[in-house]
Amino acid sequence: MSPRIRGLHAVRAWLHARPMAADALLALGVLAVGLPQLFLEELPTGDGFEHFRPPDIWAGLLVAAVTMALMWRRRHPMPVLLFIIGGELVMAVAQYPPSVPDVVAFLVAVYSVAAHRGLAQSALGGATAFVYFLAYLLVLPISLAPEVLITDCALVIGVWVLGRNLRLRRAYFAELEDRAARLERARGTDARAARVEERSRIARELHDVVAHHVSVMTVQAGAARRIIDRDPGSAREAMSTIEEVGRTALSEMRRIVGVLRTDRDPERAGRELAPQPGLGDLGELLEHVRETGLSVQLWMEGEARPPSPGVDVAAFRLIQEALTNTLKHAGPQARAWVRLYYGDSDLTVEIEDDGRGTATFMADNGDNPGHGLVGMYERVALYGGELKIGPRVGGGFGVRARFPLEP
């Protein structure tokens, strides 16, 4: 952007922040154009112009006072209009001719009343201005043709209608902005509520994992106590199992503390504690999906090894949610692929389809995040992973997540 354009933007911003200064510049501009014409041009002869007095210093002061009243046209439009009407009446009584500055000031005042006041006050101001203007034209010593009289009156009405329409337009855009702000706040509130609920759901699932491990520890500890005297080797092996399972349970418990943000639902808190499904149950999930009519295939690459229980649950839920979205949005002829890549230190999960639901899926989840996208991001972020969601090259939709295999 050139310095000249930047300067113009700066001046415009300064005037927008100081409306009274902008109106003062408007009034000074009208005076700069109209006052020289008032004193330099001679009045026509005949047609009633001989009844006017030649402009003098007092005429100039009256015109300047009437015009400079526009400085307050936005704050006090009705008093400004009445002041300008009063000033023009004084000039008419003093037999000074009408001039460009006071006529322009009158029209601007009519516009300001319509643009900056409510319907009742703007209608009163418009009616007052119209009656005054019509009476002023009728009592002028100048003979006016009927078409000129109609045109001048139509000009006053048109200026008032213009101001009223601009006020309604500003009110309409202000309402749109306010509605957009309210929708944005509501969307943010819904998203926060969805995140809180999803974190609680994840925490409950991790709670089940921890409870399962604690149950294993309890069983192993009881077995070690019974055989410690007659089989110390088996007892040491049981104690090693307790240590390993305890470390895993402690790690998952830390994750629960990290994601749980709200009190648990008492009705759900008392449900039976059991291990959550993992990647070992992926075959059953895919069979269930195929029964609904979606063609889905599974590929596994790399040396498969069991991840931590939490990652196991998170990866399963991610695949489950992605396939559910495919069923909802991809269309009846879509196909899906699930790929598991076991790397040296991470597990990559990919779910892709060739359906037509990309725009629908993004629009639905953009307006109402719910548990879909929120759940995916929360689960992957919980284990320090990475998640990418978006359209595929060639059509369809894809979800790619990377989970570290080590804590």
Side-chain angles (χ1 to χ4, degrees):
M1 185 181 294
S2 65
R4 180 180 179 182
I5 296 178
R6 284 199 301 267
L8 291 175
H9 283 301
V11 171
R12 183 177 180 181
W14 188 86
L15 292 176
H16 183 74
R18 298 165 178 82
M20 193 170 179
D23 292 335
L25 290 178
L26 171 64
L28 290 175
V30 172
L31 285 177
V33 173
L35 278 182
Q37 181 183 5
L38 177 66
F39 288 100
L40 296 179
E41 287 190 0
E42 296 183 0
L43 293 176
T45 58
D47 294 333
F49 282 96
E50 64 274 5
H51 298 288
F52 289 119
R53 294 171 53 186
D56 54 19
I57 186 62
W58 296 109
L61 291 176
L62 284 173
V63 170
V66 165
T67 307
M68 292 308 297
L70 293 178
M71 290 178 57
W72 294 274
R73 70 179 185 89
R74 302 192 207 195
R75 291 187 179 181
H76 312 287
M78 193 66 177
V80 167
L81 175 62
L82 296 178
F83 178 82
I84 292 175
I85 291 176
E88 290 186 341
L89 288 175
V90 171
M91 286 189 287
V93 171
Q95 295 183 340
Y96 288 121
S99 62
V100 171
D102 64 88
V103 172
V104 172
F106 171 75
L107 294 176
V108 173
V110 173
Y111 163 83
S112 301
V113 169
H116 299 287
R117 285 298 179 262
L119 178 59
Q121 192 171 144
S122 65
L124 177 62
T128 302
F130 179 80
V131 171
Y132 154 75
F133 190 72
L134 180 61
Y136 181 80
L137 292 179
L138 292 177
V139 300
L140 276 177
I142 305 174
S143 59
L144 297 176
E147 57 272 15
V148 174
L149 184 66
I150 295 174
T151 303
D152 290 347
C153 291
L155 177 62
V156 176
I157 296 174
V159 168
W160 184 89
V161 171
L162 175 64
R164 191 65 195 164
N165 286 340
L166 290 179
R167 175 179 174 83
L168 294 177
R169 185 178 179 86
R170 283 198 302 266
Y172 173 73
F173 282 116
E175 176 63 24
L176 288 182
E177 292 177 357
D178 182 65
R179 185 182 304 174
R182 291 198 305 268
L183 289 176
E184 189 66 27
R185 288 193 297 268
R187 186 180 295 114
T189 301
D190 292 342
R192 287 192 295 270
R195 284 196 296 269
V196 170
E197 187 173 351
E198 186 64 23
R199 288 175 181 176
S200 297
R201 177 186 173 194
I202 296 171
R204 287 192 294 271
E205 294 176 354
L206 293 180
H207 181 279
D208 295 347
V209 172
V210 172
H212 173 68
H213 283 75
V214 172
S215 298
V216 172
M217 293 168 59
T218 303
V219 172
Q220 292 288 339
R225 179 180 55 81
R226 287 192 296 270
I227 66 175
I228 191 170
D229 293 330
R230 66 175 184 273
D231 192 353
S234 297
R236 283 194 297 272
E237 184 178 349
M239 297 299 290
S240 298
T241 302
I242 292 173
E243 180 182 6
E244 180 181 353
V245 174
R247 292 181 185 276
T248 302
L250 181 60
S251 176
E252 299 302 329
M253 184 64 73
R254 287 171 179 161
R255 298 185 189 279
I256 293 176
V257 174
V259 300
L260 191 57
R261 293 293 183 266
T262 58
D263 294 335
R264 293 188 57 185
D265 187 344
E267 296 181 0
R268 296 182 180 180
R271 69 179 183 176
E272 181 182 357
L273 301 179
Q276 294 294 325
L279 294 177
D281 303 293
L282 194 55
E284 182 179 352
L285 172 64
L286 297 184
E287 286 298 326
H288 176 71
V289 172
R290 293 188 184 106
E291 291 176 359
T292 64
L294 177 65
S295 175
V296 57
Q297 299 181 19
L298 172 66
W299 281 279
M300 299 179 64
E301 297 183 11
E303 182 182 354
R305 53 193 185 278
S308 66
V311 170
D312 199 25
V313 174
F316 178 87
R317 294 299 190 193
L318 180 77
I319 296 172
Q320 184 182 44
E321 183 65 37
L323 291 177
T324 300
N325 287 328
T326 300
L327 287 171
K328 291 169 58 179
H329 303 288
Q333 304 300 325
R335 296 174 300 168
W337 299 270
V338 178
R339 299 182 180 91
L340 300 179
Y341 299 92
Y342 287 90
D344 295 335
S345 60
D346 55 23
L347 167 64
T348 302
V349 180
E350 287 188 357
I351 308 96
E352 297 180 333
D353 65 68
D354 59 355
R356 54 176 172 76
T358 299
T360 305
F361 174 77
M362 295 304 292
D364 290 351
N365 286 280
D367 293 338
N368 186 13
H371 293 282
L373 292 179
V374 173
M376 291 182 184
Y377 281 109
E378 290 289 338
R379 290 179 186 279
V380 175
L382 176 62
Y383 293 95
E386 299 175 355
L387 178 65
K388 294 182 179 179
I389 300 176
R392 293 175 63 242
V393 177
F397 204 79
V399 176
R400 178 186 175 94
R402 185 189 64 82
F403 294 95
L405 289 176
E406 299 296 333

